[in-house]
Each structure stands twice: as C-alpha cells, then as structure tokens.
Amino acid sequence: YSFCTLLNTTMPALLKKKKVPKKSPPKGKGKGKMKISPGGPQARKPRVKKGKLSSYGTYIRKVAPQNVMISAQALAVINYFVHDIFQRIASEAGRVTDYAEEKTLSTRALVAAVRLQLPRELANVCLQRGSEALDRYMASKGGPKRVA
C-alpha cells in the first residue's frame, strides 16, 4: 500500500471528532440506605491509567520553520506518516535481523531496512542526516568519534 492509499482509508477516522454521550445521574440516588463496600470506604478499585499515545508533534514543530503555523489536522497527518514510516522500517529491520540469524538489531540491519523501504535519493539523505546526528550526539557526550 502507498501512504496515500492508507491516508484515504484510515485518516478520516482519526480526524473525526468523537462524540461523547453525556452521562445522566444514576436513578434513585439519595434514596434508601447507603451501600458500604465489603472492605470499607477505603477499599476502592485502583484507577487504571490510560496509556499515553506517543506523538511527534513537539519534534515536528521544532523542525518546521519558525514562521510556519501547523494546524491540528496537518499535525495529525504528519504524525500518522511518521508512525507509519517508523513501523515499516522497524519491522523490515527485524526481518533483516532474522534473515541474518542474529539476535540483536544492528546498525547494518537498520541501514538495510532504510534502503529497502525508501526510494534511493530519500534513503541516502536519511542515512546521511542520521549519521550526522549520531556524530553530534557522540561529540556532546565526549565519546570517541565514529569512523565512517
């Protein structure tokens, strides 16, 4: 599938606002005796925390030019695109690692996955920018420089 095909099939559902029905107060509240739970008032069920949805919104805004405003819908589309590409590259890197009969995901597997998933020019630019970012990170940590 191309990204445009996926976008046309799944993004409209993501962009629609969800309608939440209003809760009506429970019937018979305040009538009769108060119900006490077996463990007393302190024995309540712990609240289940909802998992955070990861979003690249803050990073997208940092990379975009300062004079460009990004709408919420545009940010949702870009975020979906980044998630999709990340998932494709990660799964392809896993497959490459399996083919090589290795147990650890290596840099070589990631490079191979990027070259398999992206067009030639885009893959070259991505790999170049990635290696530059890694060099900057290693320099900030005071570690040894990478040999290309």
Side-chain angles (χ1 to χ4, degrees):
Y1 292 98
S2 69
F3 176 70
C4 295
T5 307
L6 290 173
L7 186 65
N8 290 334
T9 57
T10 57
M11 277 306 293
L14 292 174
L15 296 177
K16 288 182 183 175
K17 292 184 179 179
K18 294 180 182 177
K19 293 182 180 179
V20 179
K22 294 183 179 178
K23 293 183 180 179
S24 60
K27 295 180 180 179
K29 185 165 181 145
K31 296 180 182 178
K33 295 182 180 180
M34 189 171 119
K35 293 182 182 179
I36 300 174
S37 60
Q42 301 299 327
R44 293 184 180 168
K45 292 182 181 177
R47 291 186 181 182
V48 178
K49 291 184 179 180
K50 292 182 182 179
K52 284 188 176 181
L53 295 174
S54 61
S55 174
Y56 296 100
T58 55
Y59 308 108
I60 293 167
R61 285 197 172 100
K62 283 181 183 178
V63 171
Q66 295 296 322
N67 58 352
V68 174
M69 296 293 292
I70 301 175
S71 68
Q73 285 186 339
L75 194 63
V77 170
I78 296 169
N79 193 41
Y80 180 79
F81 177 73
V82 171
H83 274 288
D84 182 47
I85 293 297
F86 179 79
Q87 184 179 9
R88 287 182 188 198
I89 291 174
S91 62
E92 188 67 36
R95 273 186 242 128
V96 169
T97 303
D98 288 341
Y99 291 149
E101 296 178 358
E102 297 174 355
K103 294 184 179 181
T104 306
L105 185 66
S106 64
T107 307
R108 294 177 82 185
L110 278 173
V111 169
V114 168
R115 289 183 190 239
L116 287 168
Q117 286 295 317
L118 299 178
R120 179 178 290 170
E121 292 293 321
L122 187 58
N124 289 339
V125 170
C126 289
L127 293 173
Q128 182 181 3
R129 296 261 176 105
S131 64
E132 289 171 4
L134 187 59
D135 289 340
R136 279 195 307 268
Y137 175 76
M138 293 301 283
S140 71
K141 292 294 180 183
K145 289 189 175 181
R146 280 186 334 110
V147 177

